[in-house]
Amino acid sequence: MKTTEMAKNIAEPEIYRLDEQVGFMLRRATQRHLAIFNNLMPDFTPTQFAALAKLCELGPVSQNELGRQTAMDAATIKGVIDRLRKRGYVTTRPDPGDQRRIQIVPTGDGRTAYLERVTAAQEITARTLEPLSPRERGEFLDLLGRMT
Amino acid sequence: MKTTEMAKNIAEPEIYRLDEQVGFMLRRATQRHLAIFNNLMPDFTPTQFAALAKLCELGPVSQNELGRQTAMDAATIKGVIDRLRKRGYVTTRPDPGDQRRIQIVPTGDGRTAYLERVTAAQEITARTLEPLSPRERGEFLDLLGRMT
DNA sequence: CAAAATCTGTTTGTACACGAACAAAAGGCA
DNA sequence: TGCCTTTTGTTCGTGTACAAACAGATTTTG
């Protein structure tokens, strides 16, 4: 930061430093998080767990609605649900009131798997935020939440 | 936040809220960033531009080394380089001193394309950080940088 | 020097992620 | 009521991401 300021004073020609761009830093932070996630919950991907968690929270929903709630587009949520269904964590059934819709329902296995992993999920968040002090964690989450 | 505190006072059973987990928030922030990137630089993906930028910064490097510098593993950087080469932005040649290595070299087109897009790249960073005040931007980048 | 360990680039397989195009169903409106 | 628009789920194509396994080259070490 000091060197940057000094450089600006002598009219440096605005060098582009990849390592200082938000996008790159977001990607790196995400990579680290994914590694932590994969260690602590090897049998689920973050998206799969997100979908299962939201589903257990909301109860039966349509596929696209679940996608919206978990920030996945229609094509993505389809694949995620397909894999969760193949593994027996969710079932699908036609919506009685709307023939376009498919209701997604968590199975008993699905609910159990979710509940068994809530602690691990919280630990994942904790470890990801570990490099920051408790005060900074709140700040970071606040700022990050406003970047949406 | 107030309701959370109140809930904790009556010993609420530690509900898991997807929307408050770092991983989910990182994903959402990244999604927004990617949308901005795609608007302002439609002809490059973030990874492709990152590789080209680092390459122009470093000069000729081996493929794996470029991957390391841009936080991509060997399999990923290979695909990125393949696509950049197919589009004529980089060339490859054998490393004279090490027969395992491939040197990646930016072409004239590659350097030009990079230089023409630096401004857009900076604008992408600016727009991504737009929701935050100038003070907060520095704070956020600092905290984000420490999450690696 | 020779065997062991490491590094380089490649391939395969799985899993997001999203744009685009599509058909069937539902909803709005004239 | 009938047309028009929107919504829902699906499929296709492209592009990350990363683990795992591999062959060939290089380096380390005994």
Side-chain angles (χ1 to χ4, degrees), chain B residues 57-85:
Chain B
E57 183 187 315
L58 297 175
V61 237
S62 77
Q63 185 173 285
N64 276 8
E65 177 62 19
L66 186 57
R68 257 171 253 126
Q69 297 286 332
T70 50
M72 304 180 208
D73 76 352
T76 301
I77 191 69
K78 186 197 186 301
V80 174
I81 292 300
D82 283 352
R83 271 164 238 127
L84 285 176
R85 186 179 41 215

mmCIF file of all heavy atoms in Angstrom, chain B residues 57-85:
data_model
loop_
_atom_site.group_PDB
_atom_site.id
_atom_site.type_symbol
_atom_site.label_atom_id
_atom_site.label_comp_id
_atom_site.label_asym_id
_atom_site.label_seq_id
_atom_site.Cartn_x
_atom_site.Cartn_y
_atom_site.Cartn_z
ATOM 1 N N GLU B 57 3.180 -10.399 -18.199
ATOM 2 C CA GLU B 57 3.938 -9.816 -17.099
ATOM 3 C C GLU B 57 5.272 -10.529 -16.909
ATOM 4 O O GLU B 57 6.306 -9.902 -16.679
ATOM 5 C CB GLU B 57 3.085 -9.920 -15.822
ATOM 6 C CG GLU B 57 3.676 -9.300 -14.574
ATOM 7 C CD GLU B 57 2.830 -9.625 -13.351
ATOM 8 O OE1 GLU B 57 1.573 -9.511 -13.424
ATOM 9 O OE2 GLU B 57 3.400 -9.998 -12.324
ATOM 10 N N LEU B 58 5.239 -11.851 -17.041
ATOM 11 C CA LEU B 58 6.416 -12.659 -16.717
ATOM 12 C C LEU B 58 7.335 -12.906 -17.906
ATOM 13 O O LEU B 58 8.508 -13.198 -17.734
ATOM 14 C CB LEU B 58 5.985 -14.019 -16.165
ATOM 15 C CG LEU B 58 5.188 -14.072 -14.857
ATOM 16 C CD1 LEU B 58 4.767 -15.501 -14.557
ATOM 17 C CD2 LEU B 58 6.001 -13.491 -13.712
ATOM 18 N N GLY B 59 6.791 -12.846 -19.102
ATOM 19 C CA GLY B 59 7.538 -13.325 -20.256
ATOM 20 C C GLY B 59 7.451 -14.843 -20.300
ATOM 21 O O GLY B 59 6.747 -15.451 -19.492
ATOM 22 N N PRO B 60 8.139 -15.486 -21.262
ATOM 23 C CA PRO B 60 8.059 -16.933 -21.451
ATOM 24 C C PRO B 60 8.241 -17.730 -20.152
ATOM 25 O O PRO B 60 9.185 -17.480 -19.401
ATOM 26 C CB PRO B 60 9.228 -17.208 -22.411
ATOM 27 C CG PRO B 60 9.375 -15.951 -23.180
ATOM 28 C CD PRO B 60 9.012 -14.841 -22.237
ATOM 29 N N VAL B 61 7.334 -18.646 -19.915
ATOM 30 C CA VAL B 61 7.378 -19.540 -18.754
ATOM 31 C C VAL B 61 6.926 -20.917 -19.173
ATOM 32 O O VAL B 61 6.293 -21.072 -20.216
ATOM 33 C CB VAL B 61 6.383 -19.125 -17.641
ATOM 34 C CG1 VAL B 61 7.107 -18.905 -16.342
ATOM 35 C CG2 VAL B 61 5.534 -17.947 -18.033
ATOM 36 N N SER B 62 7.195 -21.873 -18.332
ATOM 37 C CA SER B 62 6.678 -23.211 -18.607
ATOM 38 C C SER B 62 5.190 -23.252 -18.264
ATOM 39 O O SER B 62 4.690 -22.421 -17.502
ATOM 40 C CB SER B 62 7.424 -24.253 -17.772
ATOM 41 O OG SER B 62 6.964 -24.245 -16.445
ATOM 42 N N GLN B 63 4.516 -24.226 -18.828
ATOM 43 C CA GLN B 63 3.064 -24.311 -18.654
ATOM 44 C C GLN B 63 2.665 -24.475 -17.190
ATOM 45 O O GLN B 63 1.816 -23.744 -16.681
ATOM 46 C CB GLN B 63 2.534 -25.486 -19.489
ATOM 47 C CG GLN B 63 1.033 -25.628 -19.496
ATOM 48 C CD GLN B 63 0.575 -26.701 -20.471
ATOM 49 O OE1 GLN B 63 0.572 -26.501 -21.681
ATOM 50 N NE2 GLN B 63 0.193 -27.842 -19.971
ATOM 51 N N ASN B 64 3.293 -25.405 -16.520
ATOM 52 C CA ASN B 64 2.963 -25.634 -15.119
ATOM 53 C C ASN B 64 3.280 -24.425 -14.247
ATOM 54 O O ASN B 64 2.534 -24.101 -13.325
ATOM 55 C CB ASN B 64 3.701 -26.860 -14.590
ATOM 56 C CG ASN B 64 2.967 -28.151 -14.920
ATOM 57 O OD1 ASN B 64 1.988 -28.136 -15.666
ATOM 58 N ND2 ASN B 64 3.438 -29.259 -14.383
ATOM 59 N N GLU B 65 4.400 -23.762 -14.562
ATOM 60 C CA GLU B 65 4.761 -22.576 -13.794
ATOM 61 C C GLU B 65 3.703 -21.483 -13.949
ATOM 62 O O GLU B 65 3.320 -20.834 -12.976
ATOM 63 C CB GLU B 65 6.135 -22.062 -14.238
ATOM 64 C CG GLU B 65 6.596 -20.780 -13.574
ATOM 65 C CD GLU B 65 6.749 -20.903 -12.067
ATOM 66 O OE1 GLU B 65 6.849 -22.043 -11.562
ATOM 67 O OE2 GLU B 65 6.736 -19.855 -11.383
ATOM 68 N N LEU B 66 3.212 -21.328 -15.166
ATOM 69 C CA LEU B 66 2.157 -20.342 -15.397
ATOM 70 C C LEU B 66 0.906 -20.727 -14.616
ATOM 71 O O LEU B 66 0.225 -19.870 -14.056
ATOM 72 C CB LEU B 66 1.842 -20.233 -16.887
ATOM 73 C CG LEU B 66 0.847 -19.142 -17.290
ATOM 74 C CD1 LEU B 66 1.302 -17.771 -16.833
ATOM 75 C CD2 LEU B 66 0.614 -19.149 -18.800
ATOM 76 N N GLY B 67 0.647 -22.018 -14.568
ATOM 77 C CA GLY B 67 -0.467 -22.491 -13.764
ATOM 78 C C GLY B 67 -0.301 -22.110 -12.307
ATOM 79 O O GLY B 67 -1.225 -21.620 -11.668
ATOM 80 N N ARG B 68 0.880 -22.308 -11.777
ATOM 81 C CA ARG B 68 1.132 -21.958 -10.383
ATOM 82 C C ARG B 68 0.914 -20.469 -10.130
ATOM 83 O O ARG B 68 0.289 -20.070 -9.165
ATOM 84 C CB ARG B 68 2.563 -22.341 -10.017
ATOM 85 C CG ARG B 68 2.668 -23.620 -9.203
ATOM 86 C CD ARG B 68 4.116 -24.048 -9.074
ATOM 87 N NE ARG B 68 4.393 -25.220 -9.896
ATOM 88 C CZ ARG B 68 5.356 -25.330 -10.798
ATOM 89 N NH1 ARG B 68 6.196 -24.324 -11.007
ATOM 90 N NH2 ARG B 68 5.501 -26.439 -11.482
ATOM 91 N N GLN B 69 1.412 -19.674 -11.051
ATOM 92 C CA GLN B 69 1.303 -18.216 -10.901
ATOM 93 C C GLN B 69 -0.138 -17.717 -10.990
ATOM 94 O O GLN B 69 -0.439 -16.614 -10.541
ATOM 95 C CB GLN B 69 2.140 -17.512 -11.982
ATOM 96 C CG GLN B 69 3.631 -17.779 -11.894
ATOM 97 C CD GLN B 69 4.278 -17.030 -10.746
ATOM 98 O OE1 GLN B 69 3.808 -15.977 -10.343
ATOM 99 N NE2 GLN B 69 5.351 -17.590 -10.207
ATOM 100 N N THR B 70 -1.006 -18.515 -11.590
ATOM 101 C CA THR B 70 -2.389 -18.076 -11.752
ATOM 102 C C THR B 70 -3.353 -18.953 -10.955
ATOM 103 O O THR B 70 -4.564 -18.900 -11.162
ATOM 104 C CB THR B 70 -2.792 -18.126 -13.239
ATOM 105 O OG1 THR B 70 -2.443 -19.414 -13.769
ATOM 106 C CG2 THR B 70 -2.058 -17.077 -14.035
ATOM 107 N N ALA B 71 -2.776 -19.747 -10.057
ATOM 108 C CA ALA B 71 -3.590 -20.591 -9.180
ATOM 109 C C ALA B 71 -4.466 -21.584 -9.943
ATOM 110 O O ALA B 71 -5.649 -21.745 -9.651
ATOM 111 C CB ALA B 71 -4.448 -19.730 -8.247
ATOM 112 N N MET B 72 -3.870 -22.214 -10.967
ATOM 113 C CA MET B 72 -4.600 -23.282 -11.675
ATOM 114 C C MET B 72 -3.754 -24.547 -11.632
ATOM 115 O O MET B 72 -2.541 -24.480 -11.789
ATOM 116 C CB MET B 72 -4.812 -22.901 -13.143
ATOM 117 C CG MET B 72 -5.520 -21.577 -13.348
ATOM 118 S SD MET B 72 -5.733 -21.202 -15.117
ATOM 119 C CE MET B 72 -5.741 -19.406 -15.072
ATOM 120 N N ASP B 73 -4.373 -25.673 -11.435
ATOM 121 C CA ASP B 73 -3.597 -26.907 -11.411
ATOM 122 C C ASP B 73 -3.234 -27.327 -12.835
ATOM 123 O O ASP B 73 -3.699 -26.746 -13.816
ATOM 124 C CB ASP B 73 -4.315 -28.009 -10.639
ATOM 125 C CG ASP B 73 -5.448 -28.625 -11.425
ATOM 126 O OD1 ASP B 73 -5.773 -28.104 -12.502
ATOM 127 O OD2 ASP B 73 -6.009 -29.613 -10.970
ATOM 128 N N ALA B 74 -2.381 -28.335 -12.939
ATOM 129 C CA ALA B 74 -1.815 -28.715 -14.233
ATOM 130 C C ALA B 74 -2.889 -29.023 -15.275
ATOM 131 O O ALA B 74 -2.782 -28.614 -16.439
ATOM 132 C CB ALA B 74 -0.887 -29.918 -14.061
ATOM 133 N N ALA B 75 -3.925 -29.723 -14.854
ATOM 134 C CA ALA B 75 -4.966 -30.106 -15.809
ATOM 135 C C ALA B 75 -5.739 -28.891 -16.297
ATOM 136 O O ALA B 75 -6.111 -28.808 -17.470
ATOM 137 C CB ALA B 75 -5.910 -31.107 -15.162
ATOM 138 N N THR B 76 -5.972 -27.952 -15.401
ATOM 139 C CA THR B 76 -6.753 -26.770 -15.764
ATOM 140 C C THR B 76 -5.976 -25.856 -16.695
ATOM 141 O O THR B 76 -6.485 -25.420 -17.732
ATOM 142 C CB THR B 76 -7.169 -25.997 -14.506
ATOM 143 O OG1 THR B 76 -7.944 -26.848 -13.673
ATOM 144 C CG2 THR B 76 -8.002 -24.780 -14.872
ATOM 145 N N ILE B 77 -4.723 -25.552 -16.334
ATOM 146 C CA ILE B 77 -3.934 -24.632 -17.165
ATOM 147 C C ILE B 77 -3.749 -25.192 -18.565
ATOM 148 O O ILE B 77 -3.706 -24.446 -19.548
ATOM 149 C CB ILE B 77 -2.571 -24.307 -16.506
ATOM 150 C CG1 ILE B 77 -1.877 -23.142 -17.236
ATOM 151 C CG2 ILE B 77 -1.659 -25.521 -16.516
ATOM 152 C CD1 ILE B 77 -2.527 -21.802 -17.087
ATOM 153 N N LYS B 78 -3.683 -26.508 -18.658
ATOM 154 C CA LYS B 78 -3.529 -27.104 -19.991
ATOM 155 C C LYS B 78 -4.683 -26.710 -20.911
ATOM 156 O O LYS B 78 -4.471 -26.259 -22.033
ATOM 157 C CB LYS B 78 -3.469 -28.628 -19.896
ATOM 158 C CG LYS B 78 -3.164 -29.253 -21.231
ATOM 159 C CD LYS B 78 -3.475 -30.725 -21.332
ATOM 160 C CE LYS B 78 -3.000 -31.291 -22.658
ATOM 161 N NZ LYS B 78 -3.599 -30.635 -23.838
ATOM 162 N N GLY B 79 -5.907 -26.866 -20.422
ATOM 163 C CA GLY B 79 -7.068 -26.505 -21.219
ATOM 164 C C GLY B 79 -7.068 -25.031 -21.583
ATOM 165 O O GLY B 79 -7.379 -24.662 -22.718
ATOM 166 N N VAL B 80 -6.715 -24.196 -20.602
ATOM 167 C CA VAL B 80 -6.709 -22.752 -20.848
ATOM 168 C C VAL B 80 -5.692 -22.394 -21.929
ATOM 169 O O VAL B 80 -5.999 -21.642 -22.863
ATOM 170 C CB VAL B 80 -6.398 -21.996 -19.536
ATOM 171 C CG1 VAL B 80 -6.235 -20.507 -19.791
ATOM 172 C CG2 VAL B 80 -7.516 -22.230 -18.519
ATOM 173 N N ILE B 81 -4.489 -22.959 -21.829
ATOM 174 C CA ILE B 81 -3.459 -22.686 -22.834
ATOM 175 C C ILE B 81 -3.875 -23.212 -24.208
ATOM 176 O O ILE B 81 -3.709 -22.545 -25.224
ATOM 177 C CB ILE B 81 -2.111 -23.303 -22.400
ATOM 178 C CG1 ILE B 81 -1.578 -22.568 -21.172
ATOM 179 C CG2 ILE B 81 -1.097 -23.239 -23.534
ATOM 180 C CD1 ILE B 81 -1.335 -21.091 -21.387
ATOM 181 N N ASP B 82 -4.454 -24.402 -24.233
ATOM 182 C CA ASP B 82 -4.937 -24.956 -25.504
ATOM 183 C C ASP B 82 -5.870 -23.974 -26.197
ATOM 184 O O ASP B 82 -5.767 -23.731 -27.405
ATOM 185 C CB ASP B 82 -5.679 -26.278 -25.257
ATOM 186 C CG ASP B 82 -4.723 -27.433 -25.003
ATOM 187 O OD1 ASP B 82 -3.498 -27.239 -25.166
ATOM 188 O OD2 ASP B 82 -5.191 -28.521 -24.631
ATOM 189 N N ARG B 83 -6.796 -23.402 -25.417
ATOM 190 C CA ARG B 83 -7.773 -22.483 -26.020
ATOM 191 C C ARG B 83 -7.117 -21.174 -26.443
ATOM 192 O O ARG B 83 -7.428 -20.631 -27.512
ATOM 193 C CB ARG B 83 -8.905 -22.215 -25.018
ATOM 194 C CG ARG B 83 -10.030 -23.221 -25.132
ATOM 195 C CD ARG B 83 -10.945 -23.199 -23.899
ATOM 196 N NE ARG B 83 -10.969 -24.521 -23.311
ATOM 197 C CZ ARG B 83 -10.716 -24.815 -22.054
ATOM 198 N NH1 ARG B 83 -10.428 -23.877 -21.182
ATOM 199 N NH2 ARG B 83 -10.749 -26.048 -21.636
ATOM 200 N N LEU B 84 -6.200 -20.674 -25.623
ATOM 201 C CA LEU B 84 -5.512 -19.431 -25.999
ATOM 202 C C LEU B 84 -4.665 -19.645 -27.260
ATOM 203 O O LEU B 84 -4.561 -18.768 -28.106
ATOM 204 C CB LEU B 84 -4.622 -18.935 -24.845
ATOM 205 C CG LEU B 84 -5.341 -18.284 -23.662
ATOM 206 C CD1 LEU B 84 -4.349 -17.935 -22.559
ATOM 207 C CD2 LEU B 84 -6.098 -17.023 -24.097
ATOM 208 N N ARG B 85 -4.063 -20.818 -27.379
ATOM 209 C CA ARG B 85 -3.239 -21.101 -28.546
ATOM 210 C C ARG B 85 -4.101 -21.236 -29.797
ATOM 211 O O ARG B 85 -3.787 -20.720 -30.855
ATOM 212 C CB ARG B 85 -2.429 -22.387 -28.327
ATOM 213 C CG ARG B 85 -1.442 -22.653 -29.476
ATOM 214 C CD ARG B 85 -0.650 -23.918 -29.228
ATOM 215 N NE ARG B 85 -1.526 -24.950 -28.693
ATOM 216 C CZ ARG B 85 -1.177 -25.873 -27.800
ATOM 217 N NH1 ARG B 85 0.058 -25.873 -27.344
ATOM 218 N NH2 ARG B 85 -2.033 -26.769 -27.365
#
